[in-house]
Amino acid sequence: MLLEIRHVTQYHYERPVRESLMELWMQPQKGARQRLVSFELDVDPAAQLFSYPDSFGNAVYHFDVPHPHDRLTIIARSAVETEHAAELPDRLDIGEWDRLRSEFVRGECFDFLRPHGFVQTTERLLAFIAQHDLEALRRQDPLTALKRLNETLYQSFGYQPGVTDADSPIDLALEAGSGVCQDFAHIMLAICRSWGLPARYVSGYLFTDRDAGDRSDPDATHAWIEVFLPSLRWVGFDPTNNCLTGERHVAVAVGRDYADVTPSRGVYKGDAESHLAVGVTVRRARAALAEPEFLRLAKPASFGARRRGDAAAVHQDQQRQQQQQQQQQ
């Protein structure tokens, strides 16, 4: 599936600020299931962009606007070609739990096994686990347990923007019984890690399909989780929409929680309140985004002369070719 993504972020300041410094996690990943065709960033006021990979391998862009301004607009445009995820087995053998306890897995996935930031085992979370008898799922193989957990979270929470904020703790969504994709991802991460399953937060985009039952906001970024299973490697689960991740999911960055991969964050100098507005569109590409390679081939130097029927030019070309052949002999 070939997708075009436009992600607009606008900061408005009540009065001009003297300087802004920003970091961005907006470039889609490159991988076996996801090919990055193009990526562009526009910043207004104009600024020089720099980039670096963070500790999780995500592409991070940063810039500085060193003069007074009362607004800042960031537009990220991406084109991504995605493929269907590999078909998974119906279940795994129960020995997968033992493989998850190996020193290799615990060493390689150390950062994704511990509580961190928004991913905490709280008293309210323990009550939710007991209420839904989620510990009983551990008697099944990990893949089956994760599918059931994904379904339980989907059925237990309503999708309702505005109930929580991006930096809300999971207890707020647990108490309200509703929230957004970041909340559901954090709750599922906390449960997975409490089971000894390495799990990481994924930020990205979703090409929303209402006919498929998607309930997430099509005009916003999306979030889900990936769990490391030794027999399958990283497997994506989307508790917001009760599905495994597939070709409609576009991954941008991975981390321990939302705070690791915030699409944009920064600081500014000045005594002014800021207001943030974000808009996202994800759609199918209408046409090929790259022209075939042969269209970019250089034309022969004498092509124009021959097309005009310039006999003198053709004769000169023939003489040059004969001279080159004589020199080679």
Side-chain angles (χ1 to χ4, degrees):
M1 181 180 289
L2 191 58
L3 299 172
E4 292 179 319
I5 302 160
R6 188 172 185 266
H7 184 169
V8 181
T9 304
Q10 294 182 325
Y11 291 90
H12 296 272
Y13 307 102
E14 292 182 347
R15 59 182 63 87
V17 298
R18 300 190 299 276
E19 182 179 11
S20 293
L21 291 91
M22 298 293 299
E23 285 186 311
L24 311 174
W25 281 258
M26 293 184 177
Q27 178 180 299
Q29 293 182 338
K30 305 172 186 178
R33 192 191 60 81
Q34 179 174 297
R35 183 173 72 90
L36 181 60
V37 178
S38 65
F39 177 72
E40 298 177 356
L41 270 175
D42 291 330
V43 178
D44 183 23
Q48 186 173 3
L49 290 165
F50 302 90
S51 64
Y52 69 91
D54 66 12
S55 59
F56 301 111
N58 306 308
V60 186
Y61 290 82
H62 63 101
F63 64 88
D64 177 19
V65 179
H67 51 78
H69 53 284
D70 60 6
R71 60 175 175 78
L72 176 60
T73 302
I74 304 161
I75 302 177
R77 299 182 182 88
S78 308
V80 181
E81 186 177 19
T82 63
E83 297 180 0
H84 286 286
E87 187 173 351
L88 298 179
D90 292 335
R91 61 182 61 83
L92 299 175
D93 64 83
I94 203 67
E96 191 76 359
W97 290 108
D98 294 328
R99 290 187 282 272
L100 282 162
R101 288 190 287 268
S102 71
E103 291 299 323
F104 171 78
V105 171
R106 302 191 69 80
E108 287 294 310
C109 303
F110 179 77
D111 286 327
F112 306 119
L113 280 164
R114 301 179 300 158
H116 179 272
F118 300 112
V119 182
Q120 302 290 335
T121 306
T122 66
E123 291 298 324
R124 198 175 292 277
L125 179 65
L126 292 174
F128 176 82
I129 292 172
Q131 177 186 355
H132 295 274
D133 195 22
L134 295 181
E135 285 298 314
L137 296 179
R138 300 177 68 179
R139 294 195 289 268
Q140 304 180 65
D141 68 276
L143 180 58
T144 301
L146 287 164
K147 291 177 180 178
R148 299 291 180 270
L149 175 60
N150 204 43
E151 182 180 12
T152 299
L153 294 177
Y154 174 80
Q155 294 174 344
S156 301
F157 294 94
Y159 184 89
Q160 186 176 352
V163 174
T164 61
D165 297 318
D167 57 353
S168 296
I170 61 174
D171 280 356
L172 192 57
L174 287 166
E175 181 179 5
S178 59
V180 292
C181 54
Q182 290 92 343
D183 303 306
F184 310 147
H186 286 148
I187 292 170
M188 190 168 183
L189 286 172
I191 296 173
C192 288
R193 292 178 190 176
S194 73
W195 288 354
L197 294 169
R200 62 190 185 187
Y201 183 97
V202 186
S203 69
Y205 307 102
L206 177 68
F207 178 58
T208 304
D209 184 353
R210 294 300 187 201
D211 293 335
D214 293 344
R215 58 178 183 173
S216 48
D217 187 350
D219 301 320
T221 57
H222 193 48
W224 58 93
I225 80 163
E226 289 180 344
V227 180
F228 185 83
L229 299 173
S231 299
L232 302 173
R233 307 298 292 177
W234 292 101
V235 180
F237 297 86
D238 183 349
T240 302
N241 299 305
N242 188 27
C243 64
L244 299 175
T245 56
E247 66 172 348
R248 294 187 296 110
H249 291 78
V250 176
V252 170
V254 299
R256 294 163 296 185
D257 65 353
Y258 171 79
D260 280 340
V261 292
T262 308
S264 64
R265 69 182 178 204
V267 296
Y268 60 88
K269 295 180 181 179
D271 183 17
E273 292 292 325
S274 66
H275 303 278
L276 172 64
V278 177
V280 173
T281 57
V282 182
R283 65 183 185 183
R284 284 182 180 271
R286 296 180 180 178
L289 298 171
E291 60 183 3
E293 194 68 28
F294 69 85
L295 292 180
R296 294 195 293 271
L297 291 176
K299 296 179 180 178
S302 59
F303 177 83
R306 289 195 178 99
R307 187 172 182 179
R308 291 192 301 269
D310 191 336
V314 173
H315 181 65
Q316 290 174 0
D317 285 348
Q318 292 173 344
Q319 285 183 331
R320 282 196 295 268
Q321 291 174 4
Q322 290 175 357
Q323 290 173 359
Q324 291 174 355
Q325 291 174 356
Q326 290 173 357
Q327 291 173 358
Q328 291 174 356
Q329 291 174 354

